[in-house]
Amino acid sequence: MIAAGVWAGAMLFLAAPAAATAPPPATAAITALQFAPPLGQPMTYRVTTRRIGRSGALISFSLVYTLEWQRAGRGYRLDAVLRRIESDARPELVRALTGLVEPLVGETVTYLVDAEGRSVTLADPDALWARVAGRTQALAAGARAPEAQQVAALLGTLPEAERDRLVTADIRALIVPANVEIPTTGGEASVSIEHDGTRLSIAKVEMGAVATGGKPAAGLDVDRLWTIDTTTGLVVREQRQSWIAEPDSEARTLVEERIRALSAGDPG
């Protein structure tokens, strides 16, 4: 091309006899993780972003994909179709926020993924971008709103590497070995890992600060949670929440949330 605070408790490290330290069970589960996506089964992949608008209320939009995996040599082929864009925002705002991917709606994008799930590439980028270029020109010609024309023009001028990054970002986030943002150990104080059967939950808290228009810097907390299916090596749910806290206050305001969610079946 789915909660505030820390969701999991602290890791318990088990001491092995002979003064050696055994790896925590959950950390060992990450190390032993295999990539084995389900073949020939349609899946729904929904990427939802909510962010605070000018009115102070959260607005949301979702990219809804259909995914299907097949074998391709020693690796895999993934066919992904962006079926639709859903939003509760005004149409002009939806165009501004999703205009770069609008020409991809209805297009089958084929990815090649190696057997270990570490490499994700477009199967035929030249053919894809030739089709998208035609749709981009049509969108620009038929768009009444200036911002739609500007976004369509921008898509046509993006460097090749940036275009490829745009259409592979959500897929790389879905595949655990290709997702470089997932912590691989529970050694950091801000990371906690839990293993429950075929589900692995990894939580991470990042803390920083953000300028607020001449006022003292406000705290910025980013809470992240990945839920991984250990039988497939796929992220079935990823949640990222950004919170701003005023100085000297325990109150926090959610300013942005992104949820990537994978489920079985066709989205319809």
Side-chain angles (χ1 to χ4, degrees):
M1 294 294 59
I2 344 212
V6 180
W7 297 269
M11 285 296 302
L12 297 178
F13 293 90
L14 305 178
T21 301
T27 302
I30 296 177
T31 305
L33 192 66
Q34 299 294 313
F35 177 57
L39 304 180
Q41 303 176 26
M43 308 187 79
T44 296
Y45 187 34
R46 183 182 294 269
V47 181
T48 299
T49 300
R50 302 168 65 218
R51 64 180 50 156
I52 199 162
R54 292 181 179 178
S55 66
L58 287 170
I59 57 175
S60 68
F61 59 93
S62 300
L63 307 179
V64 183
Y65 297 91
T66 300
L67 306 182
E68 188 163 327
W69 294 89
Q70 302 291 345
R71 268 289 184 185
R74 297 181 60 188
Y76 300 93
R77 164 183 171 150
L78 172 62
D79 291 326
V81 181
L82 176 55
R83 298 287 285 270
R84 58 185 176 270
I85 300 172
E86 300 175 344
S87 179
D88 58 6
R90 302 186 312 274
E92 62 272 19
L93 186 54
V94 175
R95 286 194 297 266
L97 294 174
T98 64
L100 284 177
V101 295
E102 187 176 354
L104 295 169
V105 174
E107 290 288 335
T108 298
V109 181
T110 299
Y111 303 87
L112 296 178
V113 183
D114 70 346
E116 289 75 30
R118 299 188 182 281
S119 172
V120 179
T121 59
L122 292 169
D124 191 348
D126 292 340
L128 170 65
W129 292 117
R131 297 196 307 271
V132 170
R135 296 198 63 186
T136 300
Q137 293 172 2
L139 285 171
R144 297 179 181 178
E147 67 270 17
Q149 296 176 345
Q150 294 166 3
V151 167
L154 175 60
L155 183 58
T157 59
L158 280 177
E160 180 179 348
E162 190 66 17
R163 292 183 309 185
D164 290 355
R165 186 197 65 79
L166 173 69
V167 297
T168 60
D170 284 336
I171 302 304
R172 284 185 281 108
L174 171 69
I175 303 170
V176 173
N179 190 331
V180 297
E181 295 186 346
I182 298 176
T184 55
T185 71
E188 299 179 52
S190 61
V191 176
S192 58
I193 304 175
E194 290 187 350
H195 190 200
D196 180 14
T198 61
R199 289 289 190 267
L200 188 64
S201 297
I202 304 175
K204 183 176 182 179
V205 178
E206 302 167 342
M207 304 182 69
V210 61
T212 55
K215 299 179 182 179
L220 175 64
D221 299 340
V222 179
D223 299 338
R224 307 194 65 176
L225 175 66
W226 296 268
T227 303
I228 297 167
D229 180 356
T230 58
T231 63
T232 63
L234 297 176
V235 180
V236 294
R237 183 178 174 88
E238 175 198 332
Q239 181 167 299
R240 182 184 190 277
Q241 293 184 320
S242 298
W243 301 82
I244 287 183
E246 293 296 331
D248 304 319
S249 172
E250 294 184 359
R252 302 195 305 171
T253 300
L254 179 64
V255 293
E256 185 174 79
E257 177 182 55
R258 184 189 64 216
I259 299 175
R260 293 183 171 111
L262 182 68
S263 59
D266 191 285

